[in-house]
Amino acid sequence: MDQGILSVTTGHRGDARVRVGPSPTLDLLYACHYLSRMHRRPGEVPSWADELVSRAPEVVDAATAAIRGDAGQRPLMAAFGLAMDEDYVGDPNPERFLADLPALARALRATNEEAREGSLSDDLRAFVLEADPNVWATALASVLAPLWQEVRAYWHEVGAPLAQAAAEEVERRLSENGDVVRALPSHHFAQFEALAAKLRDQARHGPLFIVPLVLAAGGGFHLESARAAALGFGLQAEDIHARTEAQFASVARRAKALSDPTRLMLLSLLARYPHTQVTVGDLARQLAVSQPTVSGHLKTLREAGLVKVERQGNRSLPSLERDAVRELLDALDGVLHRPDLS
């Protein structure tokens, strides 16, 4: 499982059509995955999650603990498959699914015990056959039920209208061009070529649920169950992309100040002599360039916030802004090691 893209295969699809619309049941299941990882991108936590952490931290802790590691992810994956295969996707709320989950888990185990070759992936089938369905399904339902009680009002009053509008936009694009991938948000992971090809195939051959997610940020999930496939996308996908683009543009402008070797040498000199009053003339002599050249480089570095220049009479005394340099390097590192999380 990816950090931000919930992706799993639990079986094979049958014949049906593309269905687009909100799904409180799949949304709630995905919320567990999201809550356990939202700390990795604190700047992109949506309001519902931020408020939930403040209002009911024990509910967040329980949801996170419930799916920690492989032991928790497998019941979550099994629950996703059951919701998709047993027609709970379109329910107006997840309460019927939560009440039925233990019985559904028992039936799933019985089906796989009888079948010589089950429709589940090997890992998930092993879990279904080995784990007590009464235990894992009841435990998962006991975590999801209070989580739903906490987010239900937000989902119906705030999120559902936005999700419905997003669904209608997907349907509009789909009717215009007939391409399920082009109908989805432009900057979502669904646009990656490997997944796009699979989605087009799923749209042709099996029931494919397209679900705008209220309880997410910018990521989502791609799932295949025994009878269907589903693609969920966070409602904030495009907004997060726009904010990220603006943030990285700012980092790029500041990082450009480091692109000249003379400026790097200048920064190095200021770093080596932090307690010495170094003048522009000193820097020019050390670097074997003219004072106007140094002044030009200092102007660029000052505009990037990496140095400050104090005036003492007719002398300019530059000094390094160490915290700003460190922050810029951290920002560059964050660009390259940014976790993919919704």
Side-chain angles (χ1 to χ4, degrees):
M1 180 184 304
D2 193 273
Q3 291 179 345
I5 304 173
L6 200 57
S7 182
V8 68
T9 299
T10 63
H12 306 284
R13 303 176 311 282
D15 294 328
R17 63 189 185 281
V18 176
R19 292 165 56 182
V20 185
S23 173
T25 301
L26 296 188
D27 219 331
L28 179 64
L29 291 170
Y30 182 76
C32 267
H33 172 76
Y34 176 76
L35 289 172
S36 69
R37 289 157 175 77
M38 64 180 178
H39 64 280
R40 300 180 184 180
R41 298 268 284 272
E44 296 178 3
V45 175
S47 61
W48 69 268
D50 192 47
E51 292 170 5
L52 181 62
V53 170
S54 298
R55 184 179 66 250
E58 72 283 355
V59 172
V60 176
D61 291 343
T64 299
I67 63 166
R68 185 173 292 128
D70 290 342
Q73 295 293 347
R74 286 193 290 264
L76 187 66
M77 294 301 96
F80 264 110
L82 288 168
M84 292 161 61
D85 289 342
E86 304 301 329
D87 294 326
Y88 292 88
V89 172
D91 279 13
N93 63 66
E95 292 166 6
R96 182 173 71 97
F97 175 72
L98 297 179
D100 294 349
L101 185 54
L104 294 170
R106 290 192 295 271
L108 180 64
R109 179 174 184 173
T111 298
N112 278 271
E113 284 176 337
E114 294 172 3
R116 297 180 97 185
E117 293 185 6
S119 60
L120 303 178
S121 64
D122 291 342
D123 181 61
L124 198 53
R125 187 165 189 261
F127 164 75
V128 167
L129 292 174
E130 294 170 4
D132 186 335
N134 294 309
V135 173
W136 73 257
T138 300
L140 184 59
S142 69
V143 168
L144 293 171
L147 176 57
W148 175 246
Q149 291 304 312
E150 291 292 338
V151 300
R152 178 175 57 184
Y154 174 85
W155 199 98
H156 285 295
E157 296 169 11
V158 179
L162 297 175
Q164 186 58 43
E168 291 172 359
E169 178 63 14
V170 170
E171 288 183 321
R172 183 187 67 78
R173 293 179 182 177
L174 189 58
S175 66
E176 287 180 354
N177 56 55
D179 186 342
V180 67
V181 175
R182 290 174 61 193
L184 293 167
S186 299
H187 299 102
H188 196 257
F189 64 80
Q191 302 293 340
F192 296 163
E193 289 184 9
L195 180 54
K198 181 174 284 190
L199 286 170
R200 291 186 174 108
D201 180 67
Q202 290 166 343
R204 286 192 298 267
H205 297 104
L208 173 62
F209 301 111
I210 304 296
V211 182
L213 296 170
V214 173
L215 305 178
F221 61 73
H222 174 249
L223 305 165
E224 291 181 87
S225 70
R227 300 176 186 171
L231 187 283
F233 64 90
L235 294 179
Q236 298 186 28
E238 294 301 292
D239 289 342
I240 287 176
H241 176 82
R243 293 199 302 271
T244 301
E245 192 173 44
Q247 175 191 351
F248 287 177
S250 175
V251 172
R253 285 193 298 270
R254 296 175 64 201
K256 190 175 181 179
L258 304 178
S259 64
D260 184 275
T262 301
R263 283 198 290 273
L264 286 177
M265 285 288 293
L266 193 158
L267 288 175
S268 175
L269 284 169
L270 293 177
R272 286 166 57 191
Y273 301 103
H275 306 299
T276 302
Q277 289 188 339
V278 178
T279 67
V280 172
D282 293 329
L283 294 171
R285 285 187 290 274
Q286 290 292 321
L287 298 173
V289 297
S290 68
Q291 288 195 31
T293 297
V294 170
S295 295
H297 286 311
L298 285 173
K299 181 175 183 292
T300 299
L301 292 168
R302 188 174 65 251
E303 290 174 348
L306 303 180
V307 301
K308 64 180 179 181
V309 180
E310 296 181 359
R311 297 286 299 181
Q312 284 191 3
N314 63 353
R315 297 192 307 167
S316 295
L317 303 176
S319 60
L320 184 67
E321 292 280 31
R322 291 180 177 273
D323 289 344
V325 173
R326 188 174 296 108
E327 185 275 331
L328 175 57
L329 295 177
D330 288 344
L332 288 170
D333 184 68
V335 169
L336 300 177
H337 299 93
R338 184 178 177 85
D340 187 5
L341 179 66
S342 56

